Amino acid sequence: MSQEPLFKIIFMSQGQVYEIYARSVGHGDMFGFIEVEELVFGERSSVVVDPTEEKIKAEFDNVRRTYLPMHSIIRIDEVEK
């Protein structure tokens, strides 16, 4: 497993459940927040366009790093792809 790690982060925001992928996840400098960097899109399927993923991609457009409140995190998994 020589590839960079890939994390699947499932969290809740404004009553909706989101699933994003990122290369870096950590506790960050702000207490109570999870720092998520290097967001990755197109990991689910490169053939079929997923409207949900397109919405998330548009929402996180130009975001280098995001901070998610710890209490909104449902699950974080390290995945193959």
Side-chain angles (χ1 to χ4, degrees):
M1 191 172 162
S2 62
Q3 297 178 352
E4 289 183 76
L6 181 64
F7 298 94
K8 177 172 73 171
I9 303 104
I10 302 171
F11 66 98
M12 194 156 206
S13 178
Q14 298 177 5
Q16 291 190 339
V17 176
Y18 289 86
E19 180 180 298
I20 59 174
Y21 291 85
R23 295 278 179 208
S24 177
V25 176
H27 57 78
D29 294 331
M30 289 194 288
F31 182 74
F33 287 83
I34 300 296
E35 181 180 86
V36 179
E37 292 184 90
E38 298 179 52
L39 298 175
V40 177
F41 297 100
E43 290 298 308
R44 276 186 161 179
S45 171
S46 58
V47 178
V48 179
V49 175
D50 183 357
T52 306
E53 184 174 7
E54 290 301 314
K55 179 183 173 199
I56 293 171
K57 186 175 180 180
E59 185 170 335
F60 286 99
D61 190 34
N62 295 321
V63 173
R64 288 185 346 179
R65 178 182 305 138
T66 188
Y67 296 89
L68 301 173
M70 280 183 149
H71 66 271
S72 73
I73 303 289
I74 297 170
R75 183 179 179 140
I76 299 174
D77 295 318
E78 185 172 357
V79 296
E80 292 288 322
K81 57 181 181 174

